[in-house]
């Protein structure tokens, strides 16, 4: 079983870049950033990090952001109670209820983070206003 989950050292380093910039937003949403200029393989690392963050007790959704060239890539995952697709649609992204992604051109990671937090806040404001279940 251990061989199945092995990764090479470069992939491990890519994922570890996210761990130094990790925060919890609104009490149950984990957001990880990689501020180093990324490359194509960092999109895969972002997806892995988003998956792993859901293993943290109390985390209902996770987002991992990385900048590659002039584009910030966002990978999102949900445990099934928060619709990450609706959140990332506000950033011109898409996907499914529990797996989604977005790409934002010509912004910094910190600017993309602000945009993401605004989209999360808007999602929760709309859910509360409509009285609808998040699913």
């Amino acid at each position: 079983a251990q061989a199945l989950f092995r990764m090479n050292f470069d992939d491990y380093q890519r994922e570890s870049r996210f761990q130094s910039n990790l925060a919890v937003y609104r009490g149950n949403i984990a957001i990880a950033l990689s501020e180093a200029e990324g490359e194509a393989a960092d999109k895969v690392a972002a997806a892995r990090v988003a998956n792993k963050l859901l293993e943290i007790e109390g985390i209902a959704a996770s987002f991992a952001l990385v900048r590659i060239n002039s584009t910030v890539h966002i990978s999102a995952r949900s445990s099934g109670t928060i619709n990450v697709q609706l959140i990332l649609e506000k950033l011109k992204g898409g996907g499914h209820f529990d797996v989604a992604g977005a790409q934002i051109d010509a912004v910094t990671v910190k600017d993309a983070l602000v945009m993401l937090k605004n989209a999360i806040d808007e999602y929760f404001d709309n859910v509360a206003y409509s009285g609808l279940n998040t699913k």
Side-chain angles (χ1 to χ4, degrees):
Q2 285 181 342
L4 180 65
F5 294 106
R6 287 197 180 269
M7 70 173 66
N8 68 42
F9 189 70
D10 289 340
D11 290 341
Y12 181 82
Q13 283 187 308
R14 281 184 175 83
E15 288 185 30
S16 68
R17 287 185 212 140
F18 290 90
Q19 294 171 1
S20 62
N21 291 306
L22 177 62
V24 175
Y25 187 63
R26 295 185 71 113
N28 65 347
I29 298 172
I31 301 174
L33 310 174
S34 175
E35 295 201 46
E37 181 67 25
E39 52 189 53
D42 289 303
K43 289 190 278 187
V44 174
R48 285 183 180 160
V49 167
N51 283 334
K52 286 181 182 180
L53 291 173
L54 286 181
E55 296 173 6
I56 299 171
E57 188 174 325
I59 297 300
S62 61
F63 298 85
L65 292 77
V66 61
R67 184 180 168 118
I68 300 171
N69 299 321
S70 63
T71 303
V72 175
H73 298 263
I74 303 174
S75 189
R77 301 293 184 270
S78 170
S79 64
T81 57
I82 295 173
N83 189 332
V84 292
Q85 174 188 354
L86 291 180
I87 292 169
L88 291 188
E89 281 179 356
K90 296 177 187 318
L91 302 176
K92 307 294 186 228
H96 301 281
F97 188 99
D98 55 358
V99 177
Q103 297 178 6
I104 307 171
D105 290 324
V107 297
T108 66
V109 172
K110 292 199 186 271
D111 289 340
L113 176 61
V114 169
M115 295 168 70
L116 174 61
K117 286 180 176 181
N118 288 338
I120 292 168
D121 291 341
E122 186 179 334
Y123 168 80
F124 280 105
D125 289 347
N126 288 338
V127 168
Y129 176 76
S130 68
L132 296 175
N133 186 346
T134 56
K135 225 174 184 181

